Amino acid sequence: MSTTSSSNGLLPTSMSGRHDDVEAGGSARTQDEHHEQLEHDPDDPFDLDNTKNASAQSLRRWRQAALVLNASRRFRYTLDLNKEEHYENRRRMIRAHAQVIRVTYSFVFLMKLLIASSVGSSSSSTPSPSTGNFDIDLEKLVAMTRNQNVSTLQQYGGVKGVAEKLKTNMEQGIEEDEKEVTDRKNAFGSNTYPKKKGKSLYMFLWEAWQDLTLIILIIAAVTSLALGIKTEGLKEGWLDGGSIAFAVLLVIIVTAVSDYRQSLQFQNLNDEKRNIQLEVMRGGRTVKISIYDVVVGDVIPLRIGDQVPADGVLTSGHSLAIDESSMTGESKIVIADGVGNMLVTGVGINTEWGLLMASISEDTGEETPLQVRLNGLATFIGIVGLTVALVVLVALLVRYFTGTTQDSSGATQFVKGKTSISDIVDDCVKIFTIAVTIVVVAVPEGLPLAVTLTLAYSMRKMMADKALVRRLSACETMGSATTICSDKTGTLTLNQMTVVETYAGGSKMDVADNPSGLHPKLVALISEGVAQNTTGNVFHPKDGGEVEISGSPTEKAILSWAYKLGMKFDTIRSESAIIHAFPFNSEKAWRCCCPSSNFLILSPGDSEVFIHWKGAAEIVLACCTQYMDSNGTLQPIDTQKEFFRLAIDAMAKNSLRCVAIACRTQELNKVPKEQEDLDKWSLPEDELTLLAIVGIKDPCRPGVREAVRICTSAGVKVRMVTGDNLQTAKAIALECGILASDTEAVEPTIIEGKVFRELSEKEREQVAKSITVMGRSSPNDKLLLVQALRKNGDVVAVTGDGTNDAPALHEADIGLSMGISGTEVAKESSDIIILDDNFASVVKVVRWGRSVYANIQKFIQFQLTVNVAALIINVVAAMSSGDVPLKAVQMVELLRHVENVFDTAALGQPYYGYSWSTCTATEPPTDHLMHRTPVGRREPLITNIMWRNLLVQSFYQVAVLLVLNFAGLNILGLSQDSNHAHAVEVKNTMIFNAFVMCQIFNEFNARKPDEMNVFSGVSKNPLFVAIVGVTFVLQILIVTFLGEFAHTVALSWQLWLASIVIGLVSWPLAVVGKLIPVPRTPMSVYFKKPFRKYRASRSA
């Protein structure tokens, strides 16, 4: 951390860049029951309930425990731990090699220019890096800042000389003209850096085929193709192997294309996060621009929490502290304290940060708790599937070589001494293919990816709801939030502040901004105090248009009020200078400045200066010993202090923010002369003169009361944490519905931050449960509250906008920063940015968080129903007859599309194939989600209700399809068919068709696991309707026209009708199933107890 407050200093900085299930409908339980049933299992590597601050050891542990068939794809969207360690080392050495890297990139840049000029494309080529009309060389300018060379700066005439050479007005900035900006970009470069290219489509194709099951199927296809052509000839022999190969190829292409599209989506989201908006001075006005539009010569105001967007020199500053720790990879470059202005001297690749970003690529991967748990679930299911497949493989080989396996015509397949070697190999390959089919059916490789892809889909949709997600895990964690600690200003209120009441001259003014009853001396002191003691600005357009006032909402309100009193902002700023200033201090709730002046009324005899104070009314009032009356005379405040206190309380009870303006004189000879001494000087805080007290109105946001009611009914407690006094906080809380009535407004329900912080740790934990409103709180009080709530077992979401809120945002389970009023430090520390600063948007994030969890559960229920039914059908059929009714090609098409095509449509780009899981994953949030309590952190992924639904549908499908498998020839009237082989094909096609119909109809059941009406809201999800419809059409095409390829034959309309009826039965069956009661204790508890007892006995 470096501290600077010199007006001639170089500034080397850089660019920033216990609860019920959601869909389970479980009944209420106590926290003790939950703790007993769902306690943490330290031996389970997948029991990781929070990945936000998880250690690298725990992240590496679950990766090593996962059963993975395609590691490159499975772990694509998780944090690359090895790469992250490598990047850390790169960041630490970047500064030592900065010059070499810069020269390298400059050389590449110049080579591009030479190539472009050699082909004569002068009109479209990159502009020459010459300095054009500017009187300073680019390399010397960059070297001066990078080396912090003060002597070089002095050679140029100091900061003022550099500004003149860059043709910059240090007070008004550069001209607000597009040509001016373009000329500077041509001369000094743009504020961008070379980005490393993302993976190409070919790389995704390469990764997609590395799936172990696909490799096995490719080998089986090649072997089957070779043997088929050898034994049956090319015309007939290629069908089995070719169809498998084509299905595998299709899966690889679809997987690669969808993954490629996902990568582009994530790139766009990351670009959105990096596109920071900041303020610069152009043409005398403060304008907001993108960080990428900053140019050399820009004047940038520096305030606490801002990320510094370029390298530059400090033109002015007070108590300024710059955090440069990002050069060691610890955090971003930020203003840690103070205020100032910076003249930009280097942008893009000519800055330290630009070099850093050009040399490494950001790894955006991360894991979420759901992702980790789904990896554990997929691992368990995969082990079961592989075990079953191995048992089936051995059983089929034993059956085959013992001569009990028959072909479709009824002949024995293997006769010792008679069956040829080629036939044996061909039959063994088919047996092996059956085992692989079971693996394909049983191992849900795409299940863990479903979380990331559902979150990606939700992230895009949340942008429309004014929420920018910075961490994927925050989406799902928000569904578990039990409490929201919200700021007041701008979140619960509109942040549109106006001064509506004023006390000045010892009494209340009839009109808040009418100066007629005030003495000119009082108005002059108020005007100077407001004009100098601010970070805002008043801009008068040259064309005589309406005055533009900029700054924070509070600053704007006070500046607007003072302007109406007659304040001449530019005149005051030009005729007096600030000697020293302290920015707003959240602990003391004030800011102050000490301007020198040649006004006779302000510094009589040039022997005194005025110190101006502005801050929380009751705090400033306590420091005042006198006030200025309406005649401009100083009066003792003792007799009027109670009057002012009552005025403050009255305004606070009317929801007004009370700000006091005060001043005092100080002898000039007591003011330090040296800058170093001035930095250490503490401005006097006693014997102040009260000038005015203003009441600022900030109305509640429309709809915030309803949003609070929704949270309360959803089991999420809303707490308000504000810096305003208790009376104002109480009034706003009552208006917003956070407090139901005055009777609730007693300690500790409503408490001051000072009282809370003075409690012991255990006392804070007890009191925190009851706190609803905390007034006069500091950021540290907010942090203490978050820590106490988390220790009590709450899942805490916190809103914050200031730099000092960063620790609380980081500590909370979900940090929510404000997109409009939030500092860049707050945004960088948060998980989600609320773009409109609206509490109603926070509630929408809760809805999306619950929706993510609910959709994943729907996807799991549907996916496992398909897996369980297909696995049992194929295993039973294989063990009994040596063949399976659901062939490898059919299951590859069916199940791999369920997993792989899911991601494409989940990102809003539907691929019309067997993407049934997409339907559940893209269900929009519903009000039903907010009528239940939050999702517990350790709630089982597969709830008892899901088990019930899954088993009911699976048993039905297995029973019906096995009956068709063993008695289908008789039931379908095919037993008398002279062509037995054709009859078997019709039966198997009927089984496949009925199985698909069951899945289509069951998709509706999966939408509403705990509701009787599974059709509610279906019209609001057109993607669901489209996929179901197209799936049905494609099934007709596959069965009717892809017979030899898909091992199907055309069915009569009667069999089609029978297939549809079989699927249709799943609807009334689901209604009946939901009448079956389920136990409260999760089934997972019963499964885990024996294993835990076994481990405990071994460890004992």
Side-chain angles (χ1 to χ4, degrees):
M1 173 88 62
S2 62
T3 305
T4 312
S5 57
S6 171
S7 60
N8 247 4
L10 287 165
L11 185 63
T13 56
S14 298
M15 184 176 69
S16 70
R18 317 301 178 184
H19 317 287
D20 296 323
D21 306 319
V22 166
E23 291 296 328
S27 57
R29 314 171 198 149
T30 65
Q31 290 188 358
D32 292 337
E33 287 176 320
H34 262 267
H35 183 73
E36 180 183 349
Q37 295 172 357
L38 306 173
E39 60 185 359
H40 174 62
D41 185 359
D43 297 319
D44 185 357
F46 301 103
D47 191 357
L48 193 64
D49 64 355
N50 190 355
T51 60
K52 182 175 179 178
N53 300 311
S55 65
Q57 180 182 358
S58 61
L59 297 181
R60 187 172 279 110
R61 184 181 173 216
W62 79 258
R63 287 166 171 76
Q64 294 169 346
L67 174 66
V68 182
L69 300 178
N70 188 349
S72 60
R73 188 163 190 264
R74 174 77 74 86
F75 297 133
R76 178 180 299 137
Y77 298 112
T78 59
L79 186 65
D80 190 326
L81 299 175
N82 295 329
K83 189 182 291 185
E84 186 68 15
E85 185 178 351
H86 173 68
Y87 285 169
E88 286 299 317
N89 294 331
R90 292 286 294 274
R91 291 185 184 103
R92 290 189 178 96
M93 54 77 71
I94 189 67
R95 296 195 76 179
H97 300 81
Q99 183 61 25
V100 176
I101 298 171
R102 181 181 288 109
V103 170
T104 302
Y105 279 105
S106 298
F107 176 76
V108 173
F109 177 68
L110 290 171
M111 289 302 296
K112 288 181 178 179
L113 290 177
L114 291 173
I115 294 172
S117 61
S118 66
V119 296
S121 55
S122 58
S123 62
S124 60
S125 62
T126 307
S128 169
S130 66
T131 53
N133 299 323
F134 303 99
D135 302 328
I136 190 168
D137 180 75
L138 172 61
E139 285 302 318
K140 293 180 180 179
L141 190 64
V142 171
M144 176 190 72
T145 308
R146 176 174 50 82
N147 298 326
Q148 303 183 39
N149 195 327
V150 179
S151 61
T152 303
L153 177 65
Q154 296 302 331
Q155 290 175 11
Y156 289 131
V159 176
K160 185 177 180 180
V162 172
E164 289 175 353
K165 293 179 183 297
L166 291 174
K167 295 181 170 49
T168 297
N169 184 316
M170 288 198 298
E171 298 296 326
Q172 298 191 353
I174 66 174
E175 289 299 320
E176 193 176 1
D177 178 69
E178 189 174 339
K179 185 178 182 302
E180 174 82 7
V181 174
T182 302
D183 289 343
R184 291 177 182 273
K185 286 183 178 180
N186 292 342
F188 302 106
S190 61
N191 203 19
T192 57
Y193 55 88
K195 295 181 181 178
K196 291 191 175 182
K197 292 183 178 180
K199 290 181 181 179
S200 66
L201 178 59
Y202 300 107
M203 287 299 298
F204 285 103
L205 285 168
W206 171 258
E207 288 183 357
W209 85 272
Q210 296 180 50
D211 190 300
L212 181 59
T213 51
L214 294 183
I215 294 174
I216 294 173
L217 284 173
I218 291 172
I219 296 172
V222 171
T223 307
S224 179
L225 190 63
L227 291 173
I229 294 174
K230 179 182 177 183
T231 57
E232 301 178 30
L234 181 60
K235 186 176 181 180
E236 299 291 337
W238 72 274
L239 288 173
D240 284 346
S243 59
I244 295 175
F246 181 79
V248 170
L249 182 63
L250 182 63
V251 167
I252 290 174
I253 293 173
V254 170
T255 300
V257 171
S258 61
D259 286 349
Y260 179 63
R261 287 179 175 177
Q262 291 158 26
S263 70
L264 296 180
Q265 291 284 348
F266 279 112
Q267 285 180 24
N268 292 335
L269 288 169
N270 289 329
D271 289 341
E272 186 72 29
K273 288 188 287 188
R274 286 192 286 261
N275 187 17
I276 297 168
Q277 300 293 309
L278 71 153
E279 292 183 346
V280 299
M281 292 295 296
R282 288 187 179 174
R285 66 192 297 185
T286 303
V287 295
K288 270 202 169 186
I289 63 171
S290 167
I291 192 171
Y292 302 122
D293 294 331
V294 174
V295 294
V296 170
D298 265 327
V299 174
I300 301 179
L302 304 176
R303 302 184 184 94
I304 296 176
D306 287 350
Q307 285 189 20
V308 186
D311 284 357
V313 293
L314 190 68
T315 63
S316 63
H318 300 282
S319 307
L320 195 64
I322 310 296
D323 182 359
E324 293 184 298
S325 58
S326 71
M327 290 296 102
T328 59
E330 295 170 10
S331 64
K332 301 290 183 184
I333 306 295
V334 298
I335 304 301
D337 196 10
V339 293
N341 288 310
M342 182 185 85
L343 173 65
V344 176
T345 59
V347 293
I349 198 63
N350 296 312
T351 67
E352 301 290 355
W353 183 257
L355 291 173
L356 179 67
M357 297 305 295
S359 301
I360 63 174
S361 60
E362 292 188 23
D363 185 5
T364 57
E366 61 165 307
E367 43 263 73
T368 72
L370 262 180
Q371 193 177 31
V372 176
R373 294 172 70 188
L374 277 176
N375 269 282
L377 179 61
T379 297
F380 174 76
I381 297 173
I383 292 173
V384 172
L386 289 174
T387 304
V388 171
L390 183 61
V391 171
V392 170
L393 177 62
V394 173
L396 290 181
L397 289 174
V398 171
R399 281 177 54 89
Y400 178 77
F401 286 109
T402 56
T404 56
T405 304
Q406 297 177 338
D407 58 21
S408 58
S409 62
T412 302
Q413 286 187 307
F414 175 79
V415 179
K416 187 175 181 181
K418 293 183 180 181
T419 306
S420 64
I421 297 296
S422 60
D423 287 341
I424 293 174
V425 173
D426 190 30
D427 291 338
C428 287
V429 168
K430 290 178 180 178
I431 291 174
F432 186 71
T433 304
I434 291 173
V436 173
T437 303
I438 292 174
V439 173
V440 172
V441 168
V443 181
E445 181 70 5
L447 197 59
L449 289 174
V451 178
T452 305
L453 303 170
T454 304
L455 290 173
Y457 169 82
S458 300
M459 284 172 68
R460 291 179 62 247
K461 294 297 183 181
M462 287 169 72
M463 281 289 289
D465 283 339
K466 306 299 181 183
L468 173 61
V469 179
R470 300 186 69 255
R471 288 179 57 89
L472 280 176
S473 59
C475 283
E476 67 184 51
T477 308
M478 207 54 190
S480 300
T482 59
T483 185
I484 300 174
C485 298
S486 174
D487 288 337
K488 176 187 77 69
T489 304
T491 307
L492 298 170
T493 62
L494 285 170
N495 217 7
Q496 297 173 0
M497 300 188 183
T498 52
V499 175
V500 296
E501 284 191 38
T502 303
Y503 288 80
S507 63
K508 180 180 179 179
M509 295 173 59
D510 293 333
V511 180
D513 50 15
N514 185 357
S516 59
L518 302 179
H519 193 276
K521 181 179 180 180
L522 176 57
V523 174
L525 279 173
I526 292 174
S527 297
E528 184 185 68
V530 172
Q532 291 287 20
N533 196 12
T534 183
T535 57
N537 185 48
V538 178
F539 175 72
H540 296 269
K542 295 179 181 178
D543 59 4
E546 188 176 346
V547 172
E548 297 178 16
I549 298 177
S550 60
S552 70
T554 305
E555 297 277 20
K556 288 168 68 175
I558 295 175
L559 283 170
S560 179
W561 166 75
Y563 178 77
K564 293 175 182 177
L565 287 179
M567 175 188 67
K568 305 296 182 183
F569 185 83
D570 292 335
T571 303
I572 293 173
R573 300 276 281 208
S574 63
E575 293 181 350
S576 59
I578 297 177
I579 297 174
H580 199 45
F582 284 99
F584 179 81
N585 186 311
S586 58
E587 297 293 333
K588 295 184 177 180
W590 61 30
R591 63 168 278 133
C592 58
C593 70
C594 177
S596 64
S597 172
N598 56 10
F599 289 175
L600 294 177
I601 57 172
L602 299 179
S603 51
D606 293 328
S607 61
E608 290 182 328
V609 294
F610 274 87
I611 301 173
H612 289 281
W613 294 85
K614 178 178 67 180
E618 70 273 21
I619 297 178
V620 173
L621 179 63
C623 299
C624 294
T625 57
Q626 53 189 359
Y627 72 96
M628 184 171 287
D629 64 17
S630 57
N631 298 317
T633 306
L634 297 180
Q635 300 289 347
I637 204 171
D638 295 340
T639 57
Q640 287 289 92
K641 215 161 197 176
E642 186 62 25
F643 167 76
F644 288 124
R645 284 199 190 99
L646 292 174
I648 293 170
D649 286 343
M651 287 190 287
K653 288 177 181 178
N654 289 324
S655 307
L656 302 186
R657 168 175 283 187
C658 303
V659 177
I661 300 169
C663 69
R664 64 159 290 169
T665 57
Q666 178 78 4
E667 294 179 6
L668 190 59
N669 57 14
K670 292 184 179 180
V671 178
K673 299 294 187 296
E674 299 297 327
Q675 186 64 49
E676 186 176 346
D677 296 331
L678 198 60
D679 290 340
K680 300 176 182 178
W681 183 45
S682 297
L683 293 177
E685 302 174 3
D686 56 347
E687 298 183 0
L688 303 186
T689 299
L690 180 67
L691 301 177
I693 299 175
V694 295
I696 302 173
K697 182 67 176 177
D698 186 12
C700 279
R701 287 185 178 272
V704 73
R705 189 177 185 89
E706 176 63 13
V708 171
R709 186 197 65 77
I710 291 172
C711 282
T712 303
S713 65
V716 182
K717 183 177 177 61
V718 180
R719 293 175 164 90
M720 186 172 76
V721 183
T722 177
D724 286 342
N725 68 38
L726 276 182
Q727 292 296 335
T728 304
K730 172 187 170 183
I732 292 292
L734 287 168
E735 191 175 347
C736 293
I738 294 175
L739 287 175
S741 63
D742 273 324
T743 56
E744 288 187 10
V746 294
E747 195 172 304
T749 302
I750 177 169
I751 193 172
E752 267 198 349
K754 180 182 178 181
V755 176
F756 181 71
R757 82 177 74 110
E758 289 175 350
L759 299 174
S760 66
E761 185 175 342
K762 287 195 174 296
E763 287 174 332
R764 284 199 297 268
E765 290 176 24
Q766 289 298 318
V767 170
K769 300 175 184 178
S770 305
I771 293 176
T772 301
V773 176
M774 182 182 288
R776 281 287 175 251
S777 67
S778 68
N780 189 57
D781 298 331
K782 185 186 288 188
L783 175 61
L784 292 174
L785 178 60
V786 171
Q787 291 173 336
L789 289 171
R790 294 193 71 207
K791 287 181 180 178
N792 288 333
D794 278 297
V795 179
V796 185
V798 170
T799 70
D801 54 12
T803 302
N804 293 335
D805 287 329
L809 291 169
H810 182 74
E811 176 73 18
D813 296 283
I814 314 102
L816 304 159
S817 64
M818 301 296 107
I820 299 174
S821 61
T823 65
E824 290 305 322
V825 170
K827 293 175 185 177
E828 288 291 335
S829 301
S830 67
D831 306 301
I832 299 175
I833 300 174
I834 306 300
L835 298 176
D836 62 352
D837 291 15
N838 193 343
F839 184 79
S841 297
V842 176
V843 179
K844 291 178 182 178
V845 174
V846 176
R847 284 164 58 95
W848 274 108
R850 296 189 176 193
S851 178
V852 166
Y853 196 91
N855 286 347
I856 291 298
Q857 286 189 314
K858 296 172 187 177
F859 172 57
I860 292 172
Q861 178 179 309
F862 177 78
Q863 171 84 62
L864 293 188
T865 301
V866 178
N867 286 106
V868 169
L871 179 63
I872 294 176
I873 292 166
N874 273 3
V875 169
V876 173
M879 296 291 284
S880 60
S881 64
D883 196 8
V884 290
L886 300 174
K887 304 297 182 182
V889 173
Q890 296 168 351
M891 297 317 297
V892 167
E893 289 178 343
L894 182 68
L895 294 173
R896 301 305 288 190
H897 280 263
V898 166
E899 295 175 354
N900 297 326
V901 184
F902 158 77
D903 45 17
T904 309
L907 290 174
Q909 300 164 327
Y911 173 88
Y912 297 116
Y914 291 112
S915 48
W916 302 320
S917 55
T918 307
C919 305
T920 57
T922 57
E923 280 287 313
T926 63
D927 293 336
H928 182 67
L929 295 171
M930 301 300 285
H931 294 161
R932 57 184 80 233
T933 53
V935 184
R937 282 183 173 179
R938 302 192 182 279
E939 288 289 347
L941 280 175
I942 308 177
T943 65
N944 289 355
I945 285 183
M946 291 171 64
W947 276 118
R948 180 194 63 195
N949 298 342
L950 188 158
L951 293 175
V952 166
Q953 294 296 329
S954 297
F955 286 158
Y956 166 70
Q957 293 177 23
V958 169
V960 171
L961 298 182
L962 284 181
V963 167
L964 285 177
N965 184 64
F966 293 111
L969 293 178
N970 293 324
I971 294 174
L972 302 176
L974 301 172
S975 57
Q976 304 302 320
D977 196 326
S978 57
N979 189 341
H980 182 72
H982 178 264
V984 172
E985 287 179 345
V986 172
K987 180 200 71 172
N988 286 344
T989 302
M990 178 64 186
I991 292 173
F992 173 58
N993 203 42
F995 181 72
V996 173
M997 291 302 111
C998 285
Q999 310 320 318
I1000 291 177
F1001 287 98
N1002 190 39
E1003 183 62 33
F1004 289 85
N1005 297 327
R1007 292 183 64 248
K1008 305 290 180 181
D1010 59 342
E1011 295 181 50
M1012 291 296 184
N1013 184 7
V1014 298
F1015 306 105
S1016 64
V1018 70
S1019 60
K1020 297 179 181 179
N1021 191 351
L1023 184 58
F1024 177 92
V1025 178
I1027 289 177
V1028 169
V1030 173
T1031 301
F1032 185 78
V1033 172
L1034 286 180
Q1035 180 65 13
I1036 296 175
L1037 296 176
I1038 290 172
V1039 171
T1040 306
F1041 301 106
L1042 298 180
E1044 293 186 347
F1045 172 78
H1047 297 283
T1048 61
V1049 294
L1051 299 177
S1052 64
W1053 70 268
Q1054 293 93 339
L1055 293 182
W1056 270 102
L1057 182 59
S1059 299
I1060 293 172
V1061 169
I1062 291 173
L1064 191 62
V1065 172
S1066 67
W1067 286 351
L1069 186 66
V1071 174
V1072 173
K1074 289 171 183 175
L1075 299 176
I1076 302 173
V1078 295
R1080 290 185 177 183
T1081 304
M1083 292 181 67
S1084 59
V1085 173
Y1086 299 115
F1087 293 147
K1088 289 181 179 179
K1089 276 185 178 179
F1091 294 102
R1092 290 184 177 180
K1093 288 181 179 179
Y1094 175 72
R1095 284 200 299 259
S1097 63
R1098 293 199 60 177
S1099 60

